[in-house]
Amino acid sequence: MQRPYVIVSAAMSIDGFLDDDSEKRLTLSNAADLDRVDEVRAGVDAIAVGAGTVRADDPRLLVRSEERRAARAAAGRPSSPLRVVFSPSGELDRSARLFDGREPVPIVYTSGVGARVCPLGARHAEVVPVGEDTVDLRRALDDLAGRGVKRLLVEGGGIVHTAFLSADLVDEAHLAVAPFLLGERGGARFVGAAAFPQSPRRPLRLVEARAIGEIALMVYRRDVASPYDRNIP
Ligand SMILES: NC(=O)c1ccc[n+]([C@@H]2O[C@H](COP(=O)([O-])OP(=O)(O)OC[C@H]3O[C@@H](n4cnc5c(N)ncnc54)[C@H](OP(=O)(O)O)[C@@H]3O)[C@@H](O)[C@H]2O)c1
């Protein structure tokens, strides 16, 4: 398997929630931190989210800054990274903003079962089955690498973070922590319960910690060689 360099990025409360339990998405970041994330987006080849995030937030996953889009285009790259969704069920809404026909259309990695029920046509997305009942992330990453994706930004949500981290497929994690707790009002968590290789026996390496206004940004990198590292471009 070859795979891209994988960056996980999330904003969370002190107690690890990505959102609260209301219908409206909670703002966990400030303008300066959102601009930092936009810069990270502009530096990658693809941005991925889980189907839960598409359903909850209806994101567009584009580089927001006009200057950054222009700089990418001047360098011969698409103005925004390739957009990717993980959806084993294939149950996605054609009216989501991601599927509005903007080229290149997003890639939806799904299961064989999901591909059969997925309502998206070729003008909405490229639907790629990678597993019969589930989404095999290694196959998806291999496919992305084959499309020239060298750096992948995974922007949530918690289920997808959990899948990537527990499968030891994360090279870097950007965690922005907002100065409050959500407790019983918390919604999705950064990660769920799983067996994580990033344990006390094999911790991540803290490479940056800084304040962005009231937000604490922490950047971690994996520090050990994995059998897959050989194939990272
Ligand atoms: N604060 C932040 O930085 C941030 C960022 C992103 C999202 N969020 C928030 O997070 C929440 C959504 O997170 P979430 O945890 O509910 O959903 P999610 O991780 O975005 O997506 C979950 C979906 O991923 C698919 N999936 C399940 N297991 C998988 C696996 N092993 N590999 C690949 N795909 C798999 C399933 O899709 P199917 O159902 O199609 O089978 C599942 O429903 C929302 O509240 C959103 O606002 C916050």
Side-chain angles (χ1 to χ4, degrees), residues 11 33 43 45 58 80 85 92 99 117 134 162 174 179 184 215 229:
D33 188 53
D45 304 300
D58 198 11
S80 277
V85 178
L92 290 161
F99 308 127
V117 302
T134 55
T162 305
H174 299 184
E184 62 184 14
I215 301 290
D229 287 348

Side-chain angles (χ1 to χ4, degrees), residues 178-194:
F180 50 74
L181 296 99
L182 288 168
E184 62 184 14
R185 298 300 315 275
R189 281 187 178 276
F190 168 53
V191 287

Side-chain angles (χ1 to χ4, degrees), residues 9-13 17-20 22-29 48-57 85-92 109-111 133-137 154-164 166 174 176 187-190:
S9 171
M12 68 188 77
S13 62
F17 289 104
L18 298 174
D19 199 0
D20 64 13
S22 70
E23 285 289 298
K24 207 167 148 265
R25 179 160 181 189
L26 176 71
T27 304
L28 284 139
S29 230
V49 292
T53 296
V54 176
R55 292 176 194 125
D57 299 346
V85 178
F86 298 109
S87 177
S89 77
E91 288 166 13
L92 290 161
Y109 288 111
T110 186
S111 62
D133 300 315
T134 55
V135 162
D136 181 335
L137 288 180
V154 177
E155 286 201 11
I159 291 172
V160 163
H161 292 151
T162 305
F164 269 87
S166 61
H174 299 184
R189 281 187 178 276
F190 168 53

Side-chain angles (χ1 to χ4, degrees), residues 73-144:
R77 307 170 83 189
S79 60
S80 277
L82 184 64
R83 296 162 300 157
V84 175
V85 178
F86 298 109
S87 177
S89 77
E91 288 166 13
L92 290 161
D93 189 343
R94 266 191 297 219
S95 65
R97 294 196 297 177
L98 263 184
F99 308 127
D100 64 1
R102 172 189 287 268
E103 295 281 348
V105 294
I107 300 177
V108 172
Y109 288 111
T110 186
S111 62
V113 177
R116 290 191 279 281
V117 302
C118 184
L120 303 174
R123 72 183 181 82
H124 306 111
E126 183 178 344
V127 178
V128 180
V130 283
E132 183 44 29
D133 300 315
T134 55
V135 162
D136 181 335
L137 288 180
R138 289 185 165 80
R139 277 181 64 186
L141 292 179
D142 194 37
D143 183 77
L144 285 172

Side-chain angles (χ1 to χ4, degrees), residues 174-215:
H174 299 184
L175 311 184
V177 180
F180 50 74
L181 296 99
L182 288 168
E184 62 184 14
R185 298 300 315 275
R189 281 187 178 276
F190 168 53
V191 287
F196 290 110
Q198 305 83 356
S199 68
R201 285 180 51 211
R202 212 205 77 189
L204 294 163
R205 182 162 55 95
L206 181 68
V207 294
E208 186 181 351
R210 69 183 153 105
I212 303 175
E214 294 295 303
I215 301 290

